[in-house]
Amino acid sequence: MARPNLLFIMSDDHASHAIGAYGSRINTTPQLDRIAREGMRFDACFCTNSICTPSRAAVLTGTYNHVNGVTTLDTPMDNGLVTYPKLMQAAGYQTAIFGKWHLGHGSDHDPTGFDEWAVLPDQGLYHDPDFHTPAGRIVVEGYATDIITDMSLDWLERRDRERPFALMIHHKAPHRPWEPDTAHATMFDGEHIPEPETFWDDYEHRATAARVAEMRMMDLNEADLKEPVPAGLSHDEEVSWRYQRYIKDYLRVVASIDDNVGRVLDWLDEHDLAADTIVVYTSDQGFFLGDHGWFDKRFMYEESLSMPLLVRYPRLVEPGSVCSEMVLNVDFAPTFLELAGIDVPSHIQGASFGSLLSGEIPDDWQQAMYYRYWMHQDRDHNVWAHYGVRTHRHKLICYYNDPLGKPGARGPSAPPEWELFDLESDPFEMRNIIGEPGQKEVVQELRLLLRRLQDACGDEPIPGG
Ligand code: CA
């Protein structure tokens, strides 16, 4: 069998609950749903650190952030690290990346392992963006999501047809500031988008970190809202107005991704490449879509922790299949390598989920995952440093509340606090049951498990944690 092509589409901040195939109540995504219908939907794909730069480094290297050094937004990736594109390139794959990079710029941080690349500087722009390329800066007129797709299809047209390709189409969208293109600018006008179940969360039964986070609707700024708040609204009316303003732009930007994914899928069909190409759609982390009254991410709560993951590969994957086993962002690199028939280096910490794609569950497959957010009191949203463990049933979070001198983390520290959630009885994580009767044994077990996972991946608990 010929080596498969890899077409890896990653968006930025696209939460699963804004994808039709995941049961979205607020939008439709017919093209993304095509990947799910013709492939596999993963219902328990998690990031190990819910923020752009660190999650991208984990995806590329297959290692945790304390190992690859990319713990925060202020720690660019050392491009001397081993990444899956480098290994695929060395094994004869044609490789390219277009779109979001966000791992730093300059000779130590520019993309490496790619035959061709054009990436947005840092966050990049939605309209008439400039791109950083090996030949310098170029400005391209148009809309970022369309342009990134155009560049990708152009590269595919020019590729050597005798060798397999690995192409990364990494969209800026739907990252803040959610600027739609003209085609979708009036989508949802006059409609009311339902507020999520936890929209009016008052954080009563939770740790201090949830109460002090600055990512509520009232924290959206003028650039986010793009128009003045109407006069005469009560506080609650304004909160609801801000949600409509925010979520409609977010979904408009998503709609453009969906259209452009359709263009790529059509191109594969037209060139008879669908059978031999692994198509992957994911996002670097999840996002709060008004859940808990928030936008943004960073927390270990479900909406932010979960990554959408849709994989189509007709030679291996049963159409319309669903996988509820846990897979992590560190598992992507070893999976891509294994499917390409390339040996996975022993330093890679993630595990290939190639067998899950073929419908087999290895006996020793992971039943728990480790998470860590390092940017204590980050400058944008004041989320506090935490780590934790999630099993299929429970989640234990330790807010250790200490910057530990990390770049992008700020003082002062605060006493640690713990949260325990039963995800079966409380899927929206509204009630921290850490101190409730009958939970002592569960907490003990989870603390041991947390320590074991930290040991296994080489991270260190805080003193007493
Ligand atoms: Ca992101």
Side-chain angles (χ1 to χ4, degrees):
M1 188 165 71
R3 290 188 294 175
N5 304 306
L6 172 66
L7 203 153
F8 179 29
I9 309 169
M10 181 158 71
S11 56
D12 193 347
D13 295 359
H14 190 185
S16 308
H17 50 313
I19 294 178
Y22 280 96
S24 171
R25 302 186 311 147
I26 56 176
N27 69 334
T28 58
T29 51
Q31 304 302 328
L32 294 174
D33 298 355
R34 257 167 90 182
I35 308 177
R37 198 169 58 242
E38 297 166 4
M40 181 175 277
R41 186 188 81 211
F42 286 82
D43 282 354
C45 179
F46 303 121
C47 57
T48 52
N49 184 352
S50 182
I51 194 159
C52 302
T53 307
S55 185
R56 283 158 198 274
V59 166
L60 280 166
T61 62
T63 60
Y64 286 81
N65 294 136
H66 58 277
V67 171
N68 58 47
V70 189
T71 47
T72 73
L73 289 177
D74 295 350
T75 50
M77 188 175 79
D78 177 341
N79 61 9
L81 294 176
V82 175
T83 62
Y84 77 83
K86 281 187 197 178
L87 295 168
M88 293 182 84
Q89 188 185 45
Y93 271 77
Q94 303 167 78
T95 58
I97 181 169
F98 300 104
K100 180 93 176 245
W101 175 246
H102 205 192
L103 290 158
H105 295 296
S107 57
D108 294 337
H109 308 296
D110 280 341
T112 49
F114 301 99
D115 303 344
E116 197 167 314
W117 53 270
V119 296
L120 299 162
D122 300 317
Q123 297 288 4
L125 299 174
Y126 274 107
H127 294 280
D128 302 334
D130 53 338
F131 285 81
H132 183 44
T133 76
R137 291 285 173 103
I138 54 167
V139 178
V140 186
E141 277 181 35
Y143 187 65
T145 310
D146 298 333
I147 296 166
I148 291 164
T149 307
D150 293 344
M151 286 176 164
S152 301
L153 294 180
D154 174 61
W155 182 79
L156 284 170
E157 292 281 1
R158 288 186 284 110
R159 81 192 193 285
D160 171 3
R161 279 148 211 249
E162 302 304 312
R163 291 189 296 140
F165 65 81
L167 170 61
M168 278 104 252
I169 307 176
H170 287 191
H171 289 297
K172 168 192 173 53
H175 193 280
R176 202 176 183 178
W178 315 295
E179 292 174 5
D181 62 341
T182 326
H184 302 94
T186 58
M187 197 176 182
F188 304 109
D189 270 5
E191 290 180 40
H192 178 82
I193 310 288
E195 292 167 356
E197 293 87 341
T198 60
F199 187 64
W200 297 102
D201 190 355
D202 61 5
Y203 321 108
E204 187 189 346
H205 300 288
R206 299 234 291 294
T208 310
R211 282 195 294 278
V212 299
E214 294 166 8
M215 49 172 79
R216 302 189 204 184
M217 293 302 119
M218 294 305 275
D219 296 312
L220 289 164
N221 62 35
E222 284 174 24
D224 300 323
L225 297 175
K226 305 173 195 83
E227 63 179 282
V229 178
L233 298 182
S234 70
H235 175 273
D236 284 4
E237 285 168 348
E238 180 173 342
V239 168
S240 287
W241 181 88
R242 282 168 171 262
Y243 169 72
Q244 293 297 320
R245 194 67 203 83
Y246 150 60
I247 200 68
K248 285 180 183 178
D249 273 348
Y250 181 95
L251 296 177
R252 288 163 180 151
V253 166
V254 166
S256 168
I257 294 180
D258 193 60
D259 289 352
N260 277 289
V261 167
R263 290 177 62 204
V264 174
L265 296 178
D266 288 347
W267 189 93
L268 290 176
D269 287 344
E270 286 156 16
H271 292 77
D272 207 19
L273 284 166
D276 291 318
T277 302
I278 304 160
V279 177
V280 178
Y281 183 82
T282 191
S283 174
D284 55 353
Q285 17 46 220
F287 213 68
F288 296 105
L289 306 178
D291 315 279
H292 302 288
W294 290 330
F295 62 99
D296 211 69
K297 58 255 184 180
R298 297 160 200 259
F299 276 103
M300 196 189 168
Y301 298 131
E302 289 295 274
E303 297 86 355
S304 144
L305 179 70
S306 300
M307 302 163 72
L309 177 59
L310 307 171
V311 183
R312 185 184 79 175
Y313 181 30
R315 298 212 188 279
L316 197 62
V317 181
E318 192 69 28
S321 49
V322 175
C323 180
S324 55
E325 292 297 316
M326 276 187 199
V327 299
L328 310 178
N329 55 1
V330 292
D331 299 333
F332 283 46
T335 304
F336 297 160
L337 293 172
E338 186 192 58
L339 294 177
I342 299 167
D343 287 341
V344 178
S346 59
H347 78 274
I348 283 189
Q349 297 180 294
S352 168
F353 53 83
S355 50
L356 298 180
L357 287 168
S358 59
E360 290 164 27
I361 304 169
D363 290 339
D364 59 349
W365 191 252
Q366 56 201 350
Q367 298 299 308
M369 60 86 56
Y370 175 59
Y371 179 89
R372 184 161 187 174
Y373 175 75
W374 302 73
M375 285 184 85
H376 186 61
Q377 296 193 8
D378 72 88
R379 58 188 171 268
D380 295 316
H381 299 291
N382 193 34
V383 175
W384 289 9
H386 57 288
Y387 55 57
V389 56
R390 188 199 191 281
T391 65
H392 285 286
R393 170 83 188 266
H394 289 103
K395 187 182 291 177
L396 180 74
I397 305 175
C398 171
Y399 295 93
Y400 62 88
N401 297 339
D402 194 319
L404 300 173
K406 289 283 164 188
R410 303 183 305 173
S413 59
E417 282 183 275
W418 293 76
E419 284 183 333
L420 171 67
F421 298 102
D422 182 336
L423 300 171
E424 269 177 28
S425 62
D426 179 25
F428 296 122
E429 301 165 297
M430 295 293 280
R431 187 173 188 86
N432 172 18
I433 55 172
I434 190 101
E436 294 190 3
Q439 301 302 332
K440 207 172 156 187
E441 248 175 62
V442 174
V443 172
Q444 270 175 355
E445 277 172 26
L446 288 170
R447 284 186 74 149
L448 269 175
L449 182 57
L450 175 60
R451 182 61 69 89
R452 276 213 304 275
L453 290 175
Q454 286 176 321
D455 279 347
C457 70
D459 199 11
E460 286 182 16
I462 56 148

